[in-house]
Tab-separated table of all heavy atoms in Angstrom:
chain	number	residue	atom	x	y	z
B	2	SER	N	-54.575	45.856	-6.371
B	2	SER	CA	-55.548	46.796	-6.526
B	2	SER	C	-56.957	46.399	-6.446
B	2	SER	O	-57.193	45.115	-6.430
B	2	SER	CB	-55.414	47.504	-7.924
B	2	SER	OG	-55.818	46.584	-8.933
B	54	ARG	N	-54.430	34.749	10.329
B	54	ARG	CA	-53.205	35.467	10.698
B	54	ARG	C	-52.052	34.815	10.193
B	54	ARG	O	-51.988	33.613	9.873
B	54	ARG	CB	-53.136	35.683	12.150
B	54	ARG	CG	-53.849	36.779	12.799
B	54	ARG	CD	-53.479	36.899	14.274
B	54	ARG	NE	-54.414	37.883	14.904
B	54	ARG	CZ	-54.661	37.934	16.138
B	54	ARG	NH1	-54.040	37.030	16.972
B	54	ARG	NH2	-55.538	38.799	16.654
B	82	LEU	N	-7.471	0.889	32.190
B	82	LEU	CA	-6.322	0.029	31.887
B	82	LEU	C	-5.336	-0.094	33.071
B	82	LEU	O	-5.416	0.804	33.925
B	82	LEU	CB	-5.477	0.692	30.770
B	82	LEU	CG	-6.284	0.592	29.326
B	82	LEU	CD1	-5.432	1.488	28.274
B	82	LEU	CD2	-6.379	-0.781	28.845
B	142	GLU	N	14.959	-4.667	31.012
B	142	GLU	CA	15.930	-5.726	31.498
B	142	GLU	C	17.378	-5.213	31.486
B	142	GLU	O	18.099	-5.307	32.370
B	142	GLU	CB	15.740	-7.020	30.665
B	142	GLU	CG	16.075	-8.244	31.456
B	142	GLU	CD	15.782	-9.478	30.438
B	142	GLU	OE1	14.851	-9.532	29.804
B	142	GLU	OE2	16.661	-10.297	30.371
B	182	GLY	N	13.469	3.891	41.898
B	182	GLY	CA	14.310	4.570	42.828
B	182	GLY	C	15.582	5.198	42.176
B	182	GLY	O	16.583	5.468	42.871
B	228	LYS	N	13.687	14.861	44.353
B	228	LYS	CA	13.917	15.543	45.702
B	228	LYS	C	14.366	14.607	46.843
B	228	LYS	O	15.364	14.836	47.530
B	228	LYS	CB	12.573	16.233	46.021
B	228	LYS	CG	12.810	17.285	47.155
B	228	LYS	CD	11.646	18.211	47.164
B	228	LYS	CE	11.940	19.398	48.121
B	228	LYS	NZ	10.895	20.427	48.189
B	235	THR	N	25.181	14.488	49.348
B	235	THR	CA	25.904	15.745	49.714
B	235	THR	C	27.130	15.974	48.747
B	235	THR	O	27.535	15.181	48.145
B	235	THR	CB	26.387	15.622	51.112
B	235	THR	OG1	27.265	14.499	51.250
B	235	THR	CG2	25.283	15.541	52.188
B	299	PHE	N	18.809	12.786	20.233
B	299	PHE	CA	20.210	12.739	20.631
B	299	PHE	C	21.168	13.251	19.434
B	299	PHE	O	22.213	13.705	19.688
B	299	PHE	CB	20.510	11.239	20.950
B	299	PHE	CG	21.803	10.993	21.619
B	299	PHE	CD1	22.054	11.549	22.875
B	299	PHE	CD2	22.760	10.163	20.959
B	299	PHE	CE1	23.271	11.294	23.521
B	299	PHE	CE2	23.999	9.908	21.663
B	299	PHE	CZ	24.218	10.492	22.882
B	316	ILE	N	29.351	27.805	16.314
B	316	ILE	CA	29.988	27.249	17.527
B	316	ILE	C	29.748	25.743	17.473
B	316	ILE	O	28.577	25.438	17.169
B	316	ILE	CB	29.366	27.846	18.832
B	316	ILE	CG1	29.629	29.338	18.843
B	316	ILE	CG2	30.053	27.266	20.086
B	316	ILE	CD1	29.006	30.049	20.032
B	336	SER	N	31.652	9.515	34.071
B	336	SER	CA	30.760	8.394	34.276
B	336	SER	C	30.153	8.406	35.683
B	336	SER	O	30.676	8.796	36.663
B	336	SER	CB	31.596	7.113	34.101
B	336	SER	OG	30.951	5.966	34.680
B	340	GLY	N	24.796	3.590	36.969
B	340	GLY	CA	23.796	4.229	36.163
B	340	GLY	C	23.976	3.861	34.636
B	340	GLY	O	24.644	2.972	34.259
B	360	ARG	N	26.710	8.377	12.783
B	360	ARG	CA	26.223	7.306	11.857
B	360	ARG	C	27.393	6.319	11.780
B	360	ARG	O	27.074	5.078	11.675
B	360	ARG	CB	26.049	8.001	10.492
B	360	ARG	CG	25.422	7.092	9.437
B	360	ARG	CD	25.419	7.794	8.108
B	360	ARG	NE	26.045	7.034	7.173
B	360	ARG	CZ	25.518	6.763	5.956
B	360	ARG	NH1	24.321	7.197	5.682
B	360	ARG	NH2	26.200	6.005	5.132
B	371	ARG	N	21.569	8.941	2.437
B	371	ARG	CA	22.580	9.784	1.821
B	371	ARG	C	23.866	8.861	1.507
B	371	ARG	O	24.154	8.013	2.112
B	371	ARG	CB	22.979	10.844	2.738
B	371	ARG	CG	21.957	11.960	2.983
B	371	ARG	CD	22.461	12.944	3.986
B	371	ARG	NE	22.581	12.405	5.333
B	371	ARG	CZ	23.114	13.070	6.356
B	371	ARG	NH1	23.561	14.217	6.221
B	371	ARG	NH2	23.259	12.411	7.529
B	394	ASP	N	18.612	-1.452	18.854
B	394	ASP	CA	17.635	-1.327	17.760
B	394	ASP	C	16.163	-1.431	18.088
B	394	ASP	O	15.853	-2.434	18.754
B	394	ASP	CB	18.033	-2.334	16.630
B	394	ASP	CG	17.510	-1.869	15.201
B	394	ASP	OD1	17.728	-0.722	14.939
B	394	ASP	OD2	16.853	-2.686	14.534
B	410	ILE	N	-6.356	1.079	22.750
B	410	ILE	CA	-6.282	2.416	23.398
B	410	ILE	C	-7.085	3.444	22.612
B	410	ILE	O	-7.969	4.133	23.192
B	410	ILE	CB	-4.783	2.825	23.561
B	410	ILE	CG1	-4.059	1.926	24.499
B	410	ILE	CG2	-4.719	4.280	23.990
B	410	ILE	CD1	-2.550	2.112	24.493
B	420	ASP	N	-20.900	3.132	15.392
B	420	ASP	CA	-21.786	1.979	15.631
B	420	ASP	C	-21.612	1.050	14.492
B	420	ASP	O	-21.733	-0.164	14.682
B	420	ASP	CB	-23.208	2.482	15.575
B	420	ASP	CG	-23.555	3.218	16.962
B	420	ASP	OD1	-22.855	2.850	17.984
B	420	ASP	OD2	-24.451	4.096	16.940
B	449	SER	N	-6.619	8.630	10.168
B	449	SER	CA	-6.846	9.163	8.800
B	449	SER	C	-7.763	8.246	8.004
B	449	SER	O	-7.578	7.947	6.871
B	449	SER	CB	-5.502	9.388	8.067
B	449	SER	OG	-4.641	10.120	8.795
Side-chain angles (χ1 to χ4, degrees):
Chain B
S2 71
R54 273 189 191 159
L82 292 171
E142 213 178 313
K228 196 161 190 178
T235 53
F299 194 64
I316 301 174
S336 167
R360 189 186 124 128
R371 290 176 296 173
D394 203 46
I410 291 169
D420 289 329
S449 305

